[in-house]
């Protein structure tokens, strides 16, 4: 029997996972992660076995964001997980200015677990001067394993080319020279990467790991994404993957368009959804994610809907969409639009097995989107630092601009769009530490920048502006990807430097233009000008999209972000406070008329904006109905106010939040948010 490729590595696990998901979700809901108690305690977590079979002792990997100073440079980690204290391998990827760890990929040996059980643990600092064992010898470990991929490429003339790729000898040779690219390197697990060119624009990316117990794993990306080369085309092929001579994966009919990737993890590299349960309140306190409402959880109806979707044919097949909107220009409320996706928010809030499976499926689906432009000269995805005037817009072909040698185009059902792009990879990377998810984040963020019109003004000679000359929602989501990539990439890496520079450039642009915008916008100033249907009028919901990115940047300590948010707060807070002649209910309307076309100027007061909004029949009126606040508009405003309260505590923001929360505006009750729009279920932090 031929099996879907994404099931190969996990047949024994996932076949058992689905029937046990409801039981495992109940287990998660019953768990109570403790607060730190002993000196050196940092954060609690749990290791679960969400399957219907017992699981022997095994190594687990997950990502952890730390508070500033929690894990100083030079200190190691241990875990109390029942029985003896266990060493934790922490591969630190980013650090705070004081040298303490900010984000690390953690590895530890979990105990044996019965079916649908969990063990609660605590991460803690090891004693000062604690000995750390030498890293695993990956060369010696890999010599005991075999890995092969047998391909059959089908051509238009009916012929077939066959070949076999064995990456381990090449990786071992690279390791012996000292030039291997490690992701984890320690006494418990070591893994390294090798990239193998195959044919035309097609390459294979292997992240190969071995552990101290003799385990072996491989995370493979099938990447038809080499850009600016002489040749590239659609590929049609079959592939069989064997470990130790045993075929574990077999797919006969792959059709893969250029700039698409797909991924598979085999052996110990596979992530079991729901295996690690994080302390999300702690994660929120680090600033890495928004302050989601953890009190009300996620509605059972939403999890049931996810489960039904995953049970349908085609879920998690190679190059599947897995619920991600393929025609991204489509407007209206969508599960994958927001500060993050509905799936990622549901996973964060609930930590359920069902939500984890769904979100991880969508993270894999990100690979199928044709926005991957790998540049062999740099060994990274194509950036404006490589080719300053590059333009990767689908079908782009214009004088004075460098375009792709094989033009991008909508393929495989996908039509990417900057103004409607989902945030698929950042949260999965933070929670799992999977290197392939960081690759996806980098692919999307570089596409975001290179997809903007590359005129000298727009690019500002390589500055990478994405916050002007664009729909505000496009500015929001483009800057979001850049900020997240700057946060996520390892310190000292080329991608870290690139995205940090681009983020800084965009915040400099905003700060430089704030005085001009403030003068032009008058009493209601604090909103970003942009192109949109009734431009230069104002779409409040798009301003909330943009505010969510600025709030996230401020929580991540991006320089300048707090100053930008302080300017935005005049509008974000003021629109739902009383002003003479202003109906605060219109602060969450679909559109506001802010521009006087007779005099080419903005209306200078709240009252004048209100008069013209009423005249255009766009006002919500006195109630009880809210005719122009359908959908998520009020929920978006609430999330913005929650962010302002968090970053810039102010009595005015609290007054605004409380009024709107109890105003009767539609779609802001917990049932709606937890049952359909959890990506907007952002509340003021508990400390407030």
């Amino acid at each position: 029997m031929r099996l879907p490729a994404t099931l190969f590595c996990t047949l024994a696990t996932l076949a058992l996972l689905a029937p046990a998901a409801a039981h495992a979700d109940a287990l998660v809901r019953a768990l109570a992660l403790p607060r730190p108690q002993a000196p050196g305690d940092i954060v609690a977590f749990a290791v679960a076995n969400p399957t219907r079979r017992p699981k022997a002792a095994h190594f687990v990997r997950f990502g952890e964001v730390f508070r500033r100073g929690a894990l100083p440079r030079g200190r190691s980690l241990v875990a109390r997980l029942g029985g003896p204290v266990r060493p934790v391998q922490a591969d630190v990827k980013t650090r705070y200015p004081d040298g303490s760890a900010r984000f690390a990929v953690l590895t530890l040996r979990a105990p044996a677990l019965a079916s649908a059980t969990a063990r609660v643990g605590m991460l803690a600092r090891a004693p000062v001067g604690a000995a750390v064992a030498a890293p695993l010898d990956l060369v010696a470990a890999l010599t005991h394993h075999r890995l092969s991929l047998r391909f059959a490429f089908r051509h238009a003339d009916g012929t077939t080319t066959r070949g076999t790729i064995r990456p381990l000898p090449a990786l071992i040779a690279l390791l012996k020279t000292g030039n291997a690219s490690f992701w984890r390197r320690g006494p418990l697990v070591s893994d390294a990467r090798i990239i193998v060119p195959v044919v035309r624009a097609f390459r294979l990316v292997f992240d190969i790991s071995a552990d101290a117990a003799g385990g072996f794993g491989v995370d493979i990306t099938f990447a038809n994404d080499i850009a600016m080369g002489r040749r590239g085309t659609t590929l049609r092929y079959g592939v069989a993957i064997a470990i130790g001579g045993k075929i574990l994966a077999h797919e006969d009919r792959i059709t893969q368009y250029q700039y698409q990737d797909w991924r598979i993890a085999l052996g110990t590299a596979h992530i079991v959804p729901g295996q690690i349960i994080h302390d999300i309140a702690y994660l929120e306190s680090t600033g890495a994610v928004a302050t989601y409402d953890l009190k009300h959880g996620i509605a059972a109806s939403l999890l049931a809907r996810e489960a039904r979707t995953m049970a349908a044919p085609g879920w998690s097949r190679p190059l599947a969409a897995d619920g991600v909107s393929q025609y991204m220009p489509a407007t209206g409320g969508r599960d994958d639009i927001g500060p993050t996706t509905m799936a990622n928010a549901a996973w964060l809030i609930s930590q359920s097995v069902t939500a984890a499976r769904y979100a991880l499926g969508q993270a894999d689906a990100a690979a199928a989107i044709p926005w991957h432009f790998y540049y062999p000269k740099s060994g990274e995805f194509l950036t404006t630092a490589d080719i300053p005037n590059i333009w990767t817009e689908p079908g782009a072909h214009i004088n004075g601009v460098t375009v792709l040698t094989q033009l991008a185009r909508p393929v495989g059902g996908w039509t990417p769009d900057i103004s409607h792009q989902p945030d698929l990879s950042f949260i999965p990377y933070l929670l799992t530490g999977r290197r392939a998810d960081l690759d996806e984040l980098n692919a999307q963020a570089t596409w975001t920048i290179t997809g903007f019109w590359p005129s000298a003004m727009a690019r500002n000679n390589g500055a990478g502006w994405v916050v002007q000359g664009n729909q505000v929602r496009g500015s929001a989501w483009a800057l979001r990807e850049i900020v997240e990539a700057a946060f996520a990439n390892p310190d000292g890496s080329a991608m870290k430097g690139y995205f940090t520079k681009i983020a800084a450039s965009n915040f400099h642009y905003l700060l430089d233009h704030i005085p001009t915008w403030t003068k032009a916008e008058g009493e209601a100033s604090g909103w970003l000008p942009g192109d949109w249907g009734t431009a230069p009028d104002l779409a409040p919901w798009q301003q909330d999209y943009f505010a969510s990115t600025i709030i996230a940047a401020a929580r991540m300590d991006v320089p300048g972000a707090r100053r930008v948010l302080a300017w935005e707060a005049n509008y974000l807070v003021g629109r739902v406070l009383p002003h003479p002649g202003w109906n605060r209910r219109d602060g969450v309307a679909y559109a506001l008329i802010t521009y006087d076309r007779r005099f080419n100027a903005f209306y200078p007061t709240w009252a004048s904006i209100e008069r013209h909004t009423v005249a255009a029949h766009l006002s919500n009126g006195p109630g009880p109905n809210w005719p122009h606040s359908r959908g998520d508009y009020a929920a978006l405003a609430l999330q913005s106010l929650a962010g302002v309260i968090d970053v810039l505590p102010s009595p005015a923001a609290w007054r605004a939040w409380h009024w709107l929360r109890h105003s009767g505006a539609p779609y802001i009750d917990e049932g709606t948010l937890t049952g359909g729009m959890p990506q907007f279920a952002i509340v003021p932090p508990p400390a407030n």
Side-chain angles (χ1 to χ4, degrees):
M1 181 177 66
R2 307 288 172 120
L3 300 174
T6 50
L7 296 183
F8 299 151
C9 60
T10 60
L11 180 61
T13 298
L14 291 187
L16 298 167
L17 183 57
H23 189 176
D25 285 350
L27 171 71
V28 172
R29 288 193 296 272
L31 278 177
L33 296 182
R35 300 295 94 194
Q37 300 289 332
D41 284 1
I42 299 176
V43 60
F45 69 104
V47 180
N49 174 13
T51 74
R52 294 174 59 193
R53 286 182 178 171
K55 191 169 182 63
H58 56 288
F59 286 98
V60 294
R61 177 197 69 199
F62 57 100
E64 187 66 61
V65 185
F66 295 95
R67 292 175 183 163
R68 187 189 299 263
L71 184 61
R73 187 186 295 274
R75 295 292 294 273
S76 55
L77 274 178
V78 295
R80 298 196 304 276
L81 198 62
V85 172
R86 300 167 184 268
V88 177
Q89 180 178 317
D91 290 275
V92 177
K93 300 302 175 184
T94 64
R95 295 185 180 274
Y96 291 98
D98 66 0
S100 61
R102 189 170 202 177
F103 176 76
V105 182
L106 305 185
T107 307
L108 61 89
R109 188 167 174 82
L113 292 170
S115 169
T117 60
R119 185 78 63 84
V120 173
M122 177 67 69
L123 293 173
R125 292 184 294 273
V128 176
V132 178
L136 184 74
D137 184 343
L138 191 54
V139 170
L142 293 180
T143 57
H144 303 295
H145 298 283
R146 290 179 293 154
L147 170 65
S148 65
L149 287 78
R150 189 170 67 244
F151 282 94
F153 290 97
R154 301 187 305 278
H155 308 299
D157 62 4
T159 61
T160 299
T161 300
R162 302 182 185 276
T164 301
I165 292 173
R166 297 180 176 86
L168 289 185
L171 177 57
I172 289 171
L174 196 64
L175 288 164
K176 288 179 178 179
T177 66
N179 295 317
S181 173
F182 283 93
W183 188 242
R184 291 179 293 171
R185 192 178 192 184
L188 303 183
V189 174
S190 287
D191 52 30
R193 168 169 289 188
I194 186 167
I195 299 175
V196 179
V198 182
V199 60
R200 297 187 177 182
F202 189 49
R203 65 192 179 103
L204 296 172
V205 182
F206 296 93
D207 292 315
I208 297 172
S209 61
D211 62 50
F216 174 82
V218 59
D219 205 339
I220 310 172
T221 299
F222 296 75
N224 190 20
D225 62 5
I226 295 175
M228 308 309 291
R230 296 178 61 185
R231 295 187 301 168
T233 189
T234 300
L235 296 175
R236 293 174 175 84
Y237 61 92
V239 62
I241 309 172
I243 293 179
K246 181 180 180 181
I247 294 178
L248 299 182
H250 191 181
E251 181 67 44
D252 275 342
R253 296 191 173 276
I254 297 288
T255 297
Q256 185 173 358
Y257 298 96
Q258 192 170 2
Y259 308 126
Q260 284 189 304
D261 296 354
W262 65 278
R263 316 184 316 200
I264 184 171
L266 299 165
T268 58
H270 172 63
I271 297 169
V272 177
Q275 185 176 35
I276 298 295
I277 299 163
H278 292 77
D279 185 334
I280 301 301
Y282 179 88
L283 178 61
E284 291 179 355
S285 75
T286 68
V289 301
T291 53
Y292 287 98
D293 181 359
L294 304 180
K295 179 180 178 182
H296 295 95
I298 292 296
S301 58
L302 189 153
L303 297 177
R305 176 157 60 96
E306 291 187 335
R308 287 193 300 272
T309 301
M310 290 186 289
W315 176 265
S316 277
R317 290 292 299 261
L319 303 166
D322 285 356
V324 180
S325 297
Q326 289 190 273
Y327 184 73
M328 291 185 189
T331 57
R334 287 185 4 210
D335 290 347
D336 56 3
I337 291 295
T340 189
T341 63
M342 179 207 74
N344 285 330
W347 184 16
L348 284 171
I349 293 169
S350 71
Q351 290 289 281
S352 87
V353 177
T354 300
R357 286 183 62 208
Y358 195 89
L360 289 170
Q362 292 202 332
D364 280 341
I369 304 172
W371 56 27
H372 302 77
F373 308 119
Y374 179 75
Y375 195 51
K377 290 183 180 179
S378 67
E380 303 286 356
F381 292 103
L382 182 63
T383 73
T384 54
D386 301 313
I387 304 175
N389 70 336
I390 185 68
W391 193 27
T392 58
E393 177 77 11
H397 205 310
I398 194 167
N399 292 334
V401 170
T402 300
V403 298
L404 297 166
T405 53
Q406 294 89 38
L407 296 181
R409 55 193 175 90
V411 293
W414 294 100
T415 302
D417 180 68
I418 288 173
S419 293
H420 300 85
Q421 57 178 303
D423 188 49
L424 299 169
S425 304
F426 181 63
I427 299 300
Y429 172 68
L430 290 185
L431 296 185
T432 69
R434 187 184 184 188
R435 192 175 188 178
D437 287 320
L438 180 62
D439 292 340
E440 291 303 324
L441 177 59
N442 288 343
Q444 182 176 352
T446 52
W447 161 81
T448 290
I449 299 166
T450 60
F452 274 86
W453 171 242
S455 68
M457 179 187 71
R459 290 279 176 81
N460 190 30
N461 297 319
W465 287 340
V466 299
V467 294
Q468 54 88 42
N470 185 27
Q471 294 186 55
V472 174
R473 57 186 162 191
S475 298
W477 306 146
L479 187 58
R480 175 196 64 197
E481 295 305 308
I482 293 165
V483 166
E484 289 178 347
F487 179 93
N489 274 277
D491 291 344
S493 66
M495 288 287 95
K496 180 79 163 190
Y498 175 71
F499 290 121
T500 300
K501 178 182 177 181
I502 296 296
S505 172
N506 279 276
F507 278 97
H508 287 153
Y509 175 91
L510 293 169
L511 292 170
D512 286 347
H513 285 76
I514 280 176
T516 300
W517 294 333
T518 302
K519 183 177 179 180
E521 293 171 5
E523 191 176 56
S525 68
W527 48 277
L528 179 72
D531 295 329
W532 171 69
T534 60
D537 293 317
L538 174 61
W541 47 280
Q542 291 202 34
Q543 299 298 323
D544 288 310
Y545 286 163
F546 190 71
S548 71
T549 292
I550 302 302
I551 291 163
R555 285 171 51 77
M556 293 178 187
D557 302 318
V558 175
R562 288 175 181 268
R563 292 171 58 195
V564 174
L565 183 61
W567 171 73
E568 287 184 287
N570 182 70
Y571 162 77
L572 295 172
V573 176
R575 63 181 163 160
V576 287
L577 290 177
H579 305 282
W582 171 249
N583 178 1
R584 63 164 82 180
R585 293 157 56 93
D586 288 340
V588 294
Y590 177 71
L592 299 176
I593 304 303
T594 58
Y595 194 72
D596 188 340
R597 287 164 174 78
R598 298 169 303 166
F599 301 102
N600 294 322
F602 293 107
Y603 295 119
T605 64
W606 290 106
S608 58
I609 293 171
E610 180 66 23
R611 285 197 305 272
H612 291 88
T613 299
V614 171
H617 306 289
L618 294 171
S619 172
N620 277 317
N625 296 321
W626 299 67
H628 296 286
S629 290
R630 300 169 184 170
D632 52 24
Y633 308 142
L636 289 167
L638 273 176
Q639 70 158 33
S640 295
L641 292 169
V644 172
I645 291 168
D646 179 24
V647 177
L648 306 168
S650 78
W654 262 116
R655 290 197 304 272
W657 187 86
H658 278 289
W659 175 82
L660 182 57
R661 179 65 187 82
H662 302 287
S663 66
Y667 303 110
I668 59 173
D669 59 280
E670 283 85 7
T672 298
L673 293 174
T674 65
M677 300 190 300
Q679 65 268 43
F680 306 130
I682 296 170
V683 295
N688 291 309

